[in-house]
Amino acid sequence: MSSRALHLALLALALSSFTAQAVPLPQGGGNGGGNGGGNGNGNGGNNNGNGGGNSGNNGNNGNGVGNNPQTSLRLDPDVIAPAFANDGQDVPVAGQVASLTSTNNFINFCLLSDLPLTNGQQLIGGSCNPAPIGLIPSVDNMPSSKFVNPPNLSVLKANTRFTVEMNIANMQTGFFVNAQKNYFAAPQVLNAQGQIQGHSHVVIEKITSLQQTDPTNPRVFAFFKGLNAAAVGGKLTADVTDGLPAGIYRLSSINTSTNHQPLIVPVAQHGSLDDAIYFTITADGNPPPAAGNANNAGAAGANANNAGANGANTANANNAPAAGANGANVGQANLAGQ
């Protein structure tokens, strides 16, 4: 077995019992005593610098680099989530699986996979992302969106410009980063009002019919646009400059945080944070003839049924005198027999 494979196997066995690196840190080291630990790089435990053994004084308070926990290479005990060590099976539910567990916030989780680190890139072959989820809003600040244009089930003219309009609430839009360098590369953040900072996208997919039930292929779409600007009056817009060919389409929103990750909200049970509508495009912008004929056919069928019912009633009415006449004849025959 290769050394890396052995390393991965050992880590997999130990995932549920990782020990948090939460002890005070040795300081300085690599840069020697002249810097007094202020420039310590977190690797000072090796004490390889000139005079480094005494350079790591208490000035860094165990954070590794210049009193800044955001540049430290060690986990601060104040951010350890002890519940991550619970697999959830102490309250079993039918079909429920055990959660992965960790006592050090999964800080080395990506060592368990051969996948490359996401590292700010959109890696189409898959990756492992080491960035935390980040800040989560309150239930009163969960975002929501709704399309204004095109109206749901509307009909548009083929190859003709139209504008997608979408109302959005409880989110500060206009925040986006370099999607090629910073994709999923930072946690979700909130503004001073507790709302997620981020942006949105719209995607239009062609479907076979309004009754289609087969899942679509996410790699195939007719139009995609990032809505990077801040909403104006609570509304985001995107111009479909050249329109679209005739067909039936689904329009969906993809609301995301600043670093393009899906929005994270505080509870599992919530309404959709995104919207989706359906519309049809025809050559002249009028409803498809087939739909009109189907409606007419239905009306014709209803008329035919009504005609049949009326005919039956008429026949019954016409037969009524005959029945009466027969009854009279029967009565006369009986009288004659007496």
Side-chain angles (χ1 to χ4, degrees):
M1 179 180 292
S2 68
S3 60
R4 175 172 174 78
L6 178 60
H7 180 58
L8 292 175
L10 291 173
L11 281 172
L13 291 173
L15 177 61
S16 63
S17 60
F18 278 151
T19 300
Q21 301 180 50
V23 297
L25 304 180
Q27 306 299 324
N31 291 323
N35 293 323
N39 294 323
N41 60 13
N43 296 318
N46 294 324
N47 296 323
N48 292 324
N50 295 326
N54 296 321
S55 65
N57 60 30
N58 293 327
N60 288 329
N61 296 323
N63 289 324
V65 180
N67 287 327
N68 187 351
Q70 300 309 319
T71 56
S72 172
L73 299 181
R74 299 292 183 93
L75 178 63
D76 191 304
D78 288 343
V79 298
I80 295 174
F84 288 3
N86 184 348
D87 69 0
Q89 295 301 76
D90 48 346
V91 184
V93 174
Q96 175 178 285
V97 301
S99 171
L100 293 177
T101 60
S102 172
T103 58
N104 71 347
N105 289 8
F106 296 96
I107 57 174
N108 292 316
F109 176 76
C110 287
L111 290 176
L112 296 174
S113 170
D114 287 330
L115 290 173
L117 296 180
T118 308
N119 203 24
Q121 299 173 299
Q122 299 181 47
L123 301 179
I124 62 175
S127 64
C128 183
N129 185 28
I133 287 177
L135 304 183
I136 301 175
S138 69
V139 291
D140 293 328
N141 279 315
M142 293 190 295
S144 179
S145 62
K146 196 74 188 73
F147 285 112
V148 177
N149 191 69
N152 191 33
L153 302 179
S154 60
V155 180
L156 307 180
K157 187 175 181 180
N159 305 314
T160 302
R161 178 190 181 108
F162 66 93
T163 299
V164 174
E165 300 178 7
M166 184 180 75
N167 287 334
I168 191 163
N170 294 332
M171 178 174 166
Q172 186 178 8
T173 54
F175 289 82
F176 70 101
V177 298
N178 186 330
Q180 306 307 318
K181 300 292 185 181
N182 307 113
Y183 191 72
F184 292 179
Q188 177 174 278
V189 297
L190 309 178
N191 64 11
Q193 290 71 46
Q195 296 178 339
I196 296 173
Q197 291 181 330
H199 60 287
S200 188
H201 317 72
V202 293
V203 59
I204 301 176
E205 301 165 274
K206 190 172 185 179
I207 57 178
T208 57
S209 74
L210 293 176
Q211 290 76 39
Q212 177 177 330
T213 56
D214 291 333
T216 59
N217 182 351
R219 300 180 65 177
V220 179
F221 48 86
F223 177 84
F224 187 98
K225 178 69 174 178
L227 308 182
N228 297 330
V232 177
K235 182 181 294 184
L236 296 169
T237 62
D239 292 327
V240 185
T241 307
D242 298 322
L244 294 168
I248 301 172
Y249 295 89
R250 178 177 71 178
L251 166 64
S252 306
S253 66
I254 306 175
N255 298 320
T256 69
S257 298
T258 301
N259 286 75
H260 307 277
Q261 63 268 53
L263 301 179
I264 302 295
V265 292
V267 293
Q269 294 186 356
H270 61 80
S272 176
L273 310 180
D274 285 287
D275 192 25
I277 65 163
Y278 298 83
F279 62 94
T280 302
I281 293 183
T282 61
D284 56 6
N286 293 320
N293 290 340
N295 291 336
N296 292 336
N303 292 335
N305 290 336
N306 291 335
N310 293 335
N313 292 335
T314 301
N316 291 336
N318 291 335
N319 292 332
N326 292 335
N329 293 332
V330 171
Q332 290 173 357
N334 290 337
L335 290 175
Q338 293 176 357

